[in-house]
Every structure is written in C-alpha cells, then in structure tokens.
C-alpha cells in the first residue's frame, strides 16, 4: 500500500468517527469537536490551555475559542493557579463529569467497531505502528506550529 493511500485511509476513518461523534453528542449541546476537550479536561483536571492544545493537536487560537465556548456553556471552568495568578487551569464542571461516561462509551464502541475481525496480535501491531506514526508526525507538527516549513 502506498503511503499516500494509507494516510487517506487514516483521514477517512478519523473524519468519519469525528462526524459520528459530533452528531451523537449534539444531544449534550456539544458542538463540533468539543467532546475532545471535555474528555481531556475530565482526564486531566487542572490542565493548562497550551498543554490541552498540544494534546488535541490544534493551534492555540482554536483551543481558546473552544475553551471559551465550553466555559460559556458551563462544561468547564477556569481557575487561577495557586502560585501564579497568570496561569489559568481548566477543570470540568459537574455538567461535563455527568456526560464524560457517555463520551467514553461512544469511544469504546467506535474502537470496538473499528477493530472487528482483528486478532489481539493485529491490534497490538496496529497500536505500535500508529504510536510510531504519531511520534513521527509530531516532529513535523512542532516544526510547522512554530512557523517553519518542512523540507519536502
């Protein structure tokens, strides 16, 4: 399989799963992609915005917009760091914590569906390969994020 074909397949899978999640999470009043932020903040209460953006692989402006909307919708709250008042930490509200299990269930269902017919060995191989791919891509992502161009 050619590399470009592999990346297209990965992209189609990612977009399909994101689309499904966005449709299913409308019932919780979450708009496009907000579930990603809710999950990460529930998993890491007190995370700072920059770290959250890095985890989700979005730019700071995109993260700031999503966080502002989630705060306005009462899914998250910002609190000052106890030592440095300039640092704002992000915490889930009871509203976010209430829907967190549903989001996890949707993720688990999607993963189980995606892995139908795969042996445990194949799943482990895929996990290793995707982890390696992510680490490879993160190098370019960091470069481009800092305003530099990649060498083709």
């Amino acid at each position: 399989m050619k590399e470009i074909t592999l990346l297209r397949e990965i992209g189609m899978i990612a977009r399909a799963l994101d689309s499904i999640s966005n449709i299913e999470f409308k019932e919780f009043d979450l708009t496009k992609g907000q579930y990603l932020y809710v999950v990460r903040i529930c998993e890491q209460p007190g995370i700072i915005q920059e770290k959250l953006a890095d985890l989700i692989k979005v730019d700071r402006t995109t993260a700031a917009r999503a966080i502002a909307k989630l705060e306005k919708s009462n899914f998250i709250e910002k609190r000052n760091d106890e030592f440095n008042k300039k640092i704002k930490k992000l915490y889930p509200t009871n509203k976010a914590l209430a829907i967190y299990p549903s989001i996890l269930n949707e993720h688990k269902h999607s993963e189980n569906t995606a892995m139908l017919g795969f042996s445990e060995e194949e799943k482990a191989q895929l996990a290793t390969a995707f982890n390696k791919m992510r680490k490879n891509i993160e190098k370019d992502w960091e470069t481009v994020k800092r305003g530099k161009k990649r060498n083709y």
Side-chain angles (χ1 to χ4, degrees), residues 63-77:
R65 262 186 264 134
I67 289 165
K69 288 178 184 177
L70 287 169
E71 188 177 25
K72 185 176 181 181
S73 299
N74 196 36
F75 283 105
I76 64 166
E77 63 182 14

Side-chain angles (χ1 to χ4, degrees), residues 80-145:
N80 289 330
D81 181 83
E82 62 181 283
F83 302 108
N84 184 343
K85 301 298 181 202
K86 291 181 182 180
I87 296 174
K88 302 286 185 191
K89 293 186 173 185
L90 306 173
Y91 292 89
T93 62
N94 287 335
K95 184 177 179 180
L97 293 171
I99 66 168
Y100 177 65
S102 296
I103 296 171
L104 291 183
N105 286 337
E106 188 276 340
H107 287 354
K108 186 175 184 118
H109 177 80
S110 292
E111 185 162 326
N112 288 339
T113 299
M115 294 289 106
L116 284 173
F118 285 83
S119 69
E120 292 304 315
E121 183 180 344
E122 289 171 321
K123 290 177 187 179
Q125 289 170 343
L126 273 174
T128 299
F130 284 140
N131 185 273
K132 191 179 214 178
M133 287 175 69
R134 179 185 49 80
K135 287 178 181 177
N136 290 340
I137 294 298
E138 280 179 342
K139 294 172 189 172
D140 277 0
W141 182 72
E142 288 290 337
T143 298
V144 172
K145 186 175 88 164

Side-chain angles (χ1 to χ4, degrees), residues 25-36:
F25 298 141
K26 277 185 181 179
E27 71 180 271
F28 301 128
D29 295 323
L30 290 174
T31 60
K32 189 177 179 189
Q34 289 180 333
Y35 65 93
L36 296 169

Side-chain angles (χ1 to χ4, degrees), residues 20-71:
I20 290 167
S21 296
N22 286 326
I23 292 166
E24 291 190 340
F25 298 141
K26 277 185 181 179
E27 71 180 271
F28 301 128
D29 295 323
L30 290 174
T31 60
K32 189 177 179 189
Q34 289 180 333
Y35 65 93
L36 296 169
Y37 295 85
V38 171
V39 167
R40 296 302 185 276
I41 294 168
C42 285
E43 290 172 347
Q44 298 182 44
I47 191 170
I48 61 171
Q49 183 173 311
E50 184 176 349
K51 176 73 173 163
L52 181 60
D54 283 347
L55 279 175
I56 297 176
K57 303 294 182 250
V58 297
D59 61 73
R60 290 181 190 176
T61 304
T62 301
R65 262 186 264 134
I67 289 165
K69 288 178 184 177
L70 287 169
E71 188 177 25

